């Protein structure tokens, strides 16, 4: 294109449409020039229209209703509060993109509230043009070399310094140190950077250049640095405005209004990116042919149209285009157009500033113009100054309009009619153009009269603010390290799980042989899963899980029909005397019989009793030890069926025929076996955890007979009680164990089951709180209370469908003083604890199915595991993690997990039914 500027319909009224034969008279020139410059005038009505349209675009973008090319981007900046002034330490700041073709490196020392301010040290490096437009890697390598050079002269010693990266381009931030460049703006256009995380690119470059003393911890936009650098002593400053090479603002928005964030509390800094406003033609009203020409010759035609009316990169160019046009029309420089005016970039922001400076006399203006290779006459001076003034006045008024729109947004979101606030300002346009600041202020007052704004110029180009954000980021990074350290022992790798599986296999074999082992491998006298021919009405009891139930189970040709009733077992009963406990159980049975109209009938009864029992037959089970929350006296070592019969005897009114006692794992296997004949394993992951499976009778010591199979109740909850479990036991596990009613017992169960996971999480949270990682380090009394953190919270908190705000609601209900980062930390803790549990459980299942496969001498085994338990069923990821682990550790077994729908009571009834069928057959 012709770089001399717009031709054709240049000035209104056609006054300049043709080049005059000879130069017009000076006073005519003045008039014609003024007429041309009228195009740069923007009326108040137009400003108000732009203000409204920009506000509308901002609100749309906040709602996430952006079209493909949004008018403004409203990018959240991961900065949630303005500085407290307490931040301390040495920081390095790298600034790229704010100021033209240079890059600045600063060393900033923050001294907290007490210390006196230390001036930053800084150095500017000019970026060669080919680096600004070349490959991205070259730009980042250049930056890394500048950093290295800067650090050479400073007392770094062997420290690693936190680095804040002030990167002044539109970016999608996903964390304090994660930011993807959307598109280059201003004078940059390096390849292979758009769509990339610029922090990663900088880190890679530092590595390539051997710079090891810097750790990039935060990335911020220049507007955010400007806002955060504001002296907190002057009151909260909630807007940052930059008018430098480009222009933009950020402000503190209510987080709940930012659709892109999963956050409903507090405020978050949003970078408006108003430079792109008008890319969708909203600026048609004010654009002149000069603006179109400038846009066409820019690196990004069609983009950043608003910025191109205001930013320092463009003001000089606009002035040049107007001057060239006027000269070509004989209105300047004696009618000749000096070559300097025809080439792009001749006039920079500095020239415009100098030409406009009211204190510079005519002589100074002439000197500046001559230095540019122009030949001004005396009459040109005033005209050139008018051109500069027209261009920069329009810029200041448009910038004020945008700021007024931001203030309107703040008023709206704060629901306040009148606002009083400070705006931190930065950038060379504001600092150097003589009337820019006052015009800006006047126009803001005109367009936002309800706002009382104090403008506070930033002192060091936002470097301090970047350091403040970096300090916060460094603190968060330190917290992350502490969190990782705390959770590391919970993270088990495949090798560790293989060891657990092998240890389980060994303990199983020892237990079966009757040797000392933490696995008791108890024979259950259940020899077969149901075959479908069972019939009759049965009573069942189900004791030991979350609920105590009494059931009536009708097994008929059409299937199984169940009626049940849940009864409470108060803690004082569960932990009182055995007599109390069994009397209570019989009371519940009597009540159930009355409600069901069964009084007087003596139905066969199956008793699901979910505790370790040594069985001598189907209807005889000696309680070895209580587990979980039960501890009733005088029961251990006793036959549970006898205890029940004695209690029945004490209530003379009832008659009951106790046929079978069944562990819940066995009940589950039987119940699932009724649906799926391949079900030969029963697994419980609920209040406690355990498994049973069908073992070859010949492998079971102490039970007569060598053929056939018997279901073995492994009682794997006690696995490792002999110290032979190699999983790292954390201090949190130790605390949970110490506080339990059976310290040192049920080690495996205490790593896995619902009764304990919430408590493990609570102990970790207490620890993180004491390290200052959670709840701002404030001691929380609530968290000291035992069992306040229920295992069901893990299931809720880890649910994918739950937004973080819901997670917070759960925690707030517990009375915990959360910040938004805390909710994330708590979720990670829950994930680590439940993942370990699921993996250990999977290693156990892998051991069991592999044993079955080997028992049968099969290459491949297809088997079903019947599963029950609230943790397994309610947790969103537990079941799939178990399955994944089994797949990895027992690749030759195709394992199907079948969830039991009706609880173990149904299984107990089925065991009873099988026993009755066999007894009947024996009698025949
Ligand atoms: C069910 C049983 O199968 O699962 C209970 O009917 C059993 O008796 C339970 O103990 C395990 O789940 P939870 O979560 O209630 O302990
Ligand atoms: C450009 C950038 C923006 C920056 C502004 C001021 O508009 O896109 O991120 O804040 O310039 O430097
Ligand atoms: C405990 C019991 C065990 C039961 C398991 C699941 O580990 O000792 O018998 O199967 O909890 O409820």
């Amino acid at each position: 294109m012709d770089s001399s500027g717009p031709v054709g319909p240049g000035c209104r009224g056609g006054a300049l449409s043709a080049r005059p034969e000879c130069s017009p008279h000076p006073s005519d020139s003045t008039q014609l020039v003024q007429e041309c410059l009228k195009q740069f005038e923007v009326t108040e009505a137009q400003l108000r229209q732009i203000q409204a349209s920009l506000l509308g675009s901002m609100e749309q973008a906040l709602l996430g209703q952006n079209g493909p090319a949004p008018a403004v981007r409203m990018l959240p900046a991961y900065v949630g509060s303005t500085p407290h002034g307490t931040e301390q330490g040495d920081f390095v700041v790298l600034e790229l993109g704010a100021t033209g073709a240079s890059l600045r490196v600063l060393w900033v020392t923050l001294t907290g509230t007490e210390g006196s301010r230390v001036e930053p040290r800084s150095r500017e490096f000019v970026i060669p043009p080919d680096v600004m437009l070349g490959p991205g890697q070259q730009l980042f390598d250049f930056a890394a070399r500048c950093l290295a050079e800067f650090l050479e002269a400073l007392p770094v010693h062997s420290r690693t310094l936190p680095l804040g990266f002030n990167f002044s381009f539109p970016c999608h931030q996903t964390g304090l140190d994660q930011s993807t460049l959307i598109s280059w703006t201003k004078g940059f256009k390096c390849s292979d950077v758009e769509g990339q995380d610029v922090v990663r690119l900088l880190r890679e470059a530092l590595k390539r250049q051997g710079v090891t003393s810097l750790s990039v911890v935060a990335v911020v936009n220049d507007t955010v640095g400007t806002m955060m650098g504001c002296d907190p002593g002057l009151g909260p400053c909630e807007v940052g405005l930059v008018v430098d090479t480009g222009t933009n603002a950020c402000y503190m928005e209510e987080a709940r209004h930012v659709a892109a964030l999963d956050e409903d509390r507090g405020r978050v800094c949003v970078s408006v990116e108003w430079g792109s406003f008008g890319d969708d033609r909203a600026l048609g009203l004010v654009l002149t042919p000069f603006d179109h020409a400038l846009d066409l010759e820019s690196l990004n035609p069609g983009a950043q149209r608003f910025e191109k009316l205001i930013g320092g990169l463009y003001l000089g160019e606009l002035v040049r285009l107007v001057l060239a046009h006027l000269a070509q029309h004989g209105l300047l420089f004696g009618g000749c157009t000096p070559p300097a005016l025809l080439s792009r970039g001749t006039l920079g922001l500095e020239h415009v500033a100098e030409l406009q400076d009211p204190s510079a006399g005519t002589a100074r203006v002439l000197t500046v113009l001559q230095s540019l290779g122009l030949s001004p006459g005396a009459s040109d001076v005033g005209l050139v100054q008018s051109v500069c003034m027209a261009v920069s006045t329009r810029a200041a008024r448009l910038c004020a309009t945008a700021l007024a729109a931001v203030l309107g947004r703040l008023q709206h979101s704060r629901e306040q009619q009148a606002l009083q606030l400070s705006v931190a300002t930065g950038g060379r346009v504001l600092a150097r153009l003589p009337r820019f600041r006052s015009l800006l202020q006047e126009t803001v007052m005109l367009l936002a009269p309800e706002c009382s704004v104090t403008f506070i110029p930033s002192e060091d180009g936002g470097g301090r603010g970047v350091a403040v954000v970096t300090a916060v980021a460094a603190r968060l990074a330190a917290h992350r390290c502490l969190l990782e350290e705390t959770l590391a022992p919970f993270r088990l790798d495949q090798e560790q799980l293989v060891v657990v599986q092998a240890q389980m296999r060994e303990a199983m074999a020892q237990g079966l042989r009757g040797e000392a082992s933490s696995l008791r491998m108890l024979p259950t006298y259940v020899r077969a899963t149901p075959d479908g021919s069972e019939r009759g009405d049965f009573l069942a009891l189900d004791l030991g899980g979350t609920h105590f139930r009494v059931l009536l189970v009708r097994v008929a040709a059409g299937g199984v029909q169940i009626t049940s009733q849940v009864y409470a077992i108060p803690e004082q009963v569960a932990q009182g005397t055995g007599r109390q406990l069994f009397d209570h159980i019989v009371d519940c049975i009597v009540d159930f019989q009355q409600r069901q109209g069964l009084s007087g009938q003596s139905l066969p009864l199956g008793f699901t009793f979910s505790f370790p029992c040594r069985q001598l037959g189907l209807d005889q089970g000696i309680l070895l030890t209580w587990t979980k929350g039960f501890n009733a006296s005088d029961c251990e070592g006793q036959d549970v069926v006898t205890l029940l019969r004695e209690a029945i005897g004490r209530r003379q009114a009832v008659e009951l025929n106790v046929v079978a006692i069944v562990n819940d794992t066995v009940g589950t296997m039987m119940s699932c076996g009724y649906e799926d004949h391949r079900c030969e394993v029963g697994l419980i992951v609920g209040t406690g955890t355990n498994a049973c499976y069908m073992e070859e009778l010949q492998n079971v010591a102490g039970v007569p007979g060598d053929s056939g199979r018997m279901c073995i109740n492994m009682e794997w909850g006690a696995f490792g009680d002999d110290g032979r479990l190699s999983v790292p036991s954390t201090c949190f596990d130790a605390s949970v164990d110490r506080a339990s009613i059976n310290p040192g017992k049920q080690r495996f169960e205490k790593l896995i089951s619902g009764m304990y996971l919430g408590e493990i999480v609570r102990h970790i949270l207490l620890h993180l709180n004491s390290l200052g990682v959670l709840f701002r380090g404030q001691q929380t009394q609530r968290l000291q209370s035992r069992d306040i953190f229920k295992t069901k919270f893990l299931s809720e908190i880890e649910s994918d469908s739950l937004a973080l705000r819901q997670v917070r609601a759960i925690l707030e209900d517990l009375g915990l003083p959360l910040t938004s980062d805390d909710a994330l930390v708590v979720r990670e803790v829950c994930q680590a604890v439940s993942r370990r549990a699921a993996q250990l459980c999977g290693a156990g299942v892998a051991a069991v199915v592999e044993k079955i496969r080997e028992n049968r001498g099969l290459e491949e085994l297809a088997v079903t595991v019947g599963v029950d338990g609230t943790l397994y069923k309610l947790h969103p990821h537990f079941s799939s993690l178990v399955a994944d682990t089994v797949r990895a550790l027992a690749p030759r077994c195709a394992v199907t997990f079948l969830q039991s729908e009706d609880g173990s009571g149904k299984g107990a009834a089925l065991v009873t039914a099988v026993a009755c069928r066999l007894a009947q057959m024996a009698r025949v």
Side-chain angles (χ1 to χ4, degrees):
M1 104 154 234
D2 175 358
S3 63
S4 66
V7 286
C11 300
R12 272 179 221 154
L16 295 176
S17 55
R19 186 175 252 240
E21 295 285 295
C22 55
S23 299
H25 186 271
S27 63
D28 295 344
S29 308
T30 308
Q31 203 188 342
L32 289 171
V33 169
Q34 292 311 336
E35 233 165 89
C36 173
L37 294 182
K38 266 204 156 94
Q39 294 174 97
F40 287 90
E41 282 171 19
V42 192
T43 64
E44 188 183 324
Q46 286 174 323
L47 292 180
R48 288 191 189 281
Q49 217 172 323
I50 293 171
Q51 179 185 6
S53 155
L54 180 53
L55 180 57
S57 298
M58 287 171 65
E59 293 183 338
Q60 249 185 341
L62 282 175
L63 291 171
Q65 295 172 345
N66 284 331
V72 291
R73 295 191 189 267
M74 307 300 277
L75 301 166
Y78 282 81
V79 168
S81 59
T82 47
H84 302 154
T86 51
E87 296 77 12
Q88 292 189 25
D90 290 329
F91 301 89
V92 171
V93 172
L94 166 66
E95 282 179 11
L96 181 65
T99 308
S102 65
L103 167 161
R104 214 159 66 110
V105 185
L106 295 93
W107 171 287
V108 183
T109 303
L110 299 179
T111 52
T113 32
E114 304 301 316
S116 58
R117 192 182 168 120
V118 179
E119 281 310 309
R121 295 182 237 193
S122 72
R123 192 168 152 193
E124 202 155 321
F125 297 83
V126 173
I127 312 175
D130 63 313
V131 173
M132 287 172 70
L133 303 173
Q137 186 164 330
Q138 185 182 316
L139 173 70
F140 283 89
D141 280 346
F142 176 79
R145 282 197 300 277
C146 295
L147 282 162
E149 205 178 309
F150 176 76
L151 288 181
E152 266 167 28
L154 288 163
V156 179
H157 310 300
S158 56
R159 279 188 292 172
T160 301
L161 288 164
L163 174 108
F165 186 14
N166 186 347
F167 185 71
S168 305
F169 300 94
C171 288
H172 271 302
Q173 247 181 292
T174 44
L176 262 172
D177 66 345
Q178 262 175 350
S179 200
T180 304
L181 175 64
I182 298 171
S183 58
W184 288 112
T185 54
K186 303 177 281 195
F188 285 78
K189 203 154 187 70
C190 297
S191 56
D192 303 323
V193 184
E194 288 176 353
Q196 302 291 316
D197 174 11
V198 293
V199 173
R200 181 178 56 77
L201 296 179
L202 179 59
R203 283 183 181 142
E204 285 169 2
L206 288 169
K207 209 164 168 193
R208 277 196 298 276
Q209 300 300 322
V211 185
T212 53
S213 51
L214 291 174
S215 149
V216 190
V217 294
V219 58
V220 280
N221 187 264
D222 52 355
T223 53
V224 182
T226 299
M227 182 184 80
M228 294 293 284
C230 218
D231 185 348
L234 301 169
C237 167
E238 298 190 288
V239 181
L241 166 69
V242 169
V243 197
D244 203 299
T245 310
T247 181
N248 186 18
C250 71
Y251 72 102
M252 297 305 289
E253 176 60 85
E254 303 299 314
R256 67 177 185 279
H257 294 145
V258 187
L261 288 179
D262 179 18
E263 185 58 68
D264 63 348
R265 242 184 24 171
R267 291 177 181 165
V268 64
C269 179
V270 169
S271 166
V272 178
E273 283 293 337
W274 69 30
S276 58
F277 176 65
D279 291 0
D280 60 356
R281 300 177 198 280
L283 286 172
L285 301 167
V286 295
L287 295 176
T288 69
F290 302 104
D291 297 305
H292 291 302
L294 176 136
D295 178 49
L296 282 175
E297 72 178 17
S298 69
L299 283 178
N300 49 356
Q304 301 292 105
R305 296 303 301 265
F306 193 59
E307 181 159 271
K308 286 171 185 164
L309 306 175
I310 302 173
L313 179 65
Y314 307 104
L315 295 185
E317 193 54 14
L318 277 176
V319 169
R320 179 190 71 81
L321 289 169
V322 178
L323 295 184
H325 179 79
L326 295 175
Q328 280 173 335
H329 288 83
L331 300 173
L332 274 180
F333 309 126
C336 70
T337 315
L341 274 189
L342 296 177
S343 34
R344 241 175 82 185
T346 306
L347 253 91
L349 175 66
E350 293 306 314
H351 300 120
V352 179
E354 276 196 88
L355 292 172
Q356 235 181 291
D357 184 354
S359 62
T362 310
R364 176 75 197 131
V365 175
L366 285 172
T367 317
V368 172
L369 291 173
Q370 279 156 1
S371 74
L372 290 169
L374 307 174
S375 339
S379 62
D380 291 331
V381 171
L383 294 178
V384 170
Q385 282 187 315
S386 315
V387 173
C388 292
M389 193 57 85
V391 169
S392 47
T393 300
R394 183 185 69 165
R397 284 166 64 86
L398 286 173
C399 182
T401 306
L403 185 58
V406 170
L407 298 175
R409 174 65 215 153
L410 270 169
Q411 264 177 303
H412 190 211
S413 74
R414 307 269 156 98
E415 293 161 7
Q416 282 173 2
Q417 270 306 313
L419 262 189
Q420 196 170 6
L421 87 171
S422 305
V423 174
T425 61
R428 289 167 310 151
V429 170
L430 269 162
R432 305 298 305 277
L433 291 191
R435 290 199 51 227
F436 199 96
R437 182 174 293 277
S438 53
L439 269 168
L440 178 86
Q441 293 179 359
E442 270 168 34
T443 315
V444 168
M445 266 161 60
L446 174 75
L447 299 178
E450 327 73 23
C451 300
S452 151
V453 181
T454 313
F455 289 85
I456 305 175
S458 84
E459 285 174 28
D460 44 31
R464 213 185 112 76
V466 179
V468 169
V469 178
T470 308
V472 173
R475 193 185 63 222
L476 292 176
H479 284 180
R480 167 118 312 263
C481 280
L482 290 169
L483 178 66
E484 284 304 323
E485 239 169 66
T486 305
L487 297 182
F490 288 87
R491 310 211 196 272
L492 304 179
D493 57 26
Q494 168 106 354
E495 255 170 67
Q496 286 169 299
L497 294 170
V498 168
V499 173
V500 172
Q501 178 187 15
Q503 288 169 335
M504 173 82 86
R505 279 297 297 274
E506 200 186 332
M508 284 168 80
Q510 288 165 337
L512 285 171
R513 288 196 298 266
E515 295 167 8
S517 167
S518 59
L519 292 184
R520 289 199 173 96
M521 308 302 284
L522 301 165
T524 63
Y525 292 83
V526 169
R527 294 166 196 268
T529 46
D531 69 1
S533 66
E534 300 76 11
R535 299 283 180 271
D537 289 356
F538 305 92
L539 267 185
L541 303 179
D542 187 355
L543 178 76
T546 316
H547 301 293
F548 168 53
R549 285 194 199 84
V550 185
L551 311 88
L552 170 65
V553 183
R554 298 204 140 109
V555 187
V560 179
Q561 207 193 348
I562 298 176
T563 314
S564 73
Q565 172 91 34
V566 170
Y567 292 91
I569 305 235
E571 194 176 276
Q572 66 273 22
V573 174
Q575 297 181 13
T577 65
R579 198 180 159 123
Q580 273 175 324
L581 174 62
F582 282 89
D583 283 347
H584 177 72
I585 291 172
V586 173
D587 285 346
C588 298
I589 300 173
V590 171
D591 177 78
F592 182 77
Q593 285 185 318
Q594 281 165 358
R595 284 169 190 260
Q596 299 301 324
L598 297 171
S599 305
Q601 293 185 40
S602 165
L603 295 177
L605 182 139
F607 185 7
T608 299
F609 184 72
S610 310
F611 301 94
C613 290
R614 179 158 314 282
Q615 288 188 249
L616 300 173
L618 207 50
D619 65 346
Q620 225 183 347
I622 292 164
L623 175 63
L624 296 173
T625 164
W626 285 113
T627 54
K628 302 180 279 193
F630 282 76
N631 203 10
S633 60
D634 310 320
C635 296
E636 290 178 355
Q638 304 293 316
D639 173 17
V640 180
V641 177
T642 308
L643 293 177
L644 182 62
R645 285 189 182 131
E646 284 170 6
I648 294 167
R650 286 194 289 275
R651 268 301 283 257
Q652 285 155 358
V654 273
E655 255 185 66
L656 288 173
N657 169 22
V658 186
V659 175
I661 177 163
V662 175
N663 187 264
D664 54 354
T665 52
V666 183
T668 298
M669 182 186 80
M670 292 297 276
S671 162
C672 291
Y674 191 72
E675 320 292 333
D676 175 348
H677 296 301
R678 284 198 314 207
C679 181
E680 296 189 89
V681 182
L683 170 68
I684 297 285
V685 195
T687 314
T689 182
N690 190 12
C692 71
Y693 71 102
M694 296 305 289
E695 178 58 89
E696 307 304 313
L697 200 53
Q698 66 193 22
N699 294 339
V700 187
V703 179
D706 255 359
S707 67
R709 294 179 183 146
M710 181 170 282
C711 178
I712 298 294
N713 168 13
M714 292 174 67
E715 282 298 328
W716 82 11
F719 177 44
D721 287 4
D722 56 359
R724 283 197 250 165
L725 169 62
S726 65
V727 176
S729 169
T730 67
C731 56
F732 314 109
D733 299 312
S735 306
V736 170
D737 181 46
R738 263 198 310 276
S740 69
I741 57 174
N742 51 356
K745 304 262 174 61
Q746 300 293 102
R747 285 269 162 92
F748 197 53
E749 182 158 85
K750 284 174 184 163
L751 302 175
I752 297 177
S753 77
M755 181 146 177
Y756 307 101
L757 296 197
E759 272 297 278
I760 299 176
V761 168
R762 185 179 71 85
H763 281 284
I764 300 175
L765 300 187
L766 274 173
H767 172 72
L768 292 173
N769 179 219
S770 74
L771 294 177
V773 175
L774 271 181
F775 316 132
R776 298 187 189 85
Q778 292 165 17
Q779 279 237 340
T780 76
Q781 210 45 47
R782 292 300 300 275
L783 211 51
Q784 306 283 348
S785 338
R786 211 175 131 192
D787 288 331
I788 185 168
F789 201 94
K790 305 272 178 245
T791 297
K792 72 167 190 206
F793 296 148
L794 273 82
S795 298
E796 290 172 10
I797 286 171
E798 290 183 56
S799 159
D800 291 336
S801 61
L802 214 62
L804 216 50
R805 65 185 67 168
Q806 291 163 289
V807 171
R808 229 189 12 243
I810 296 172
L811 298 166
E812 267 167 0
D813 264 1
L814 293 177
L816 300 175
L818 289 187
T819 67
S820 49
D821 295 324
D822 288 345
L824 280 170
V825 172
V826 173
R827 184 186 267 188
E828 259 191 84
V829 171
C830 291
Q831 281 163 344
V833 170
S834 61
R835 190 182 173 80
R836 179 184 68 164
Q839 287 179 322
L840 288 173
C841 179
V845 174
V848 173
V849 294
E850 269 294 290
K851 173 89 169 76
I852 299 178
R853 188 186 66 76
E854 285 178 24
N855 279 346
R856 302 183 188 175
L858 295 172
E859 266 306 302
E860 310 263 315
L861 171 77
V863 66
T864 297
V865 176
V867 202
D868 210 342
T870 33
L871 179 56
Y872 187 92
K873 282 181 164 172
L874 295 186
H875 192 280
H877 308 299
F878 200 94
S879 55
S880 53
L881 274 168
V882 172
D884 290 349
T885 311
V886 175
R887 243 193 314 278
L889 300 187
R892 291 203 268 166
C893 299
V895 181
T896 308
F897 290 87
L898 179 61
Q899 293 196 15
S900 154
E901 297 301 336
D902 310 302
S904 309
K906 172 178 162 187
L910 287 169
V911 172
T912 309
V914 174
C916 292
R917 176 165 54 88
L918 295 179
Q920 218 161 21
M921 277 163 63
R923 258 179 260 134
V924 174

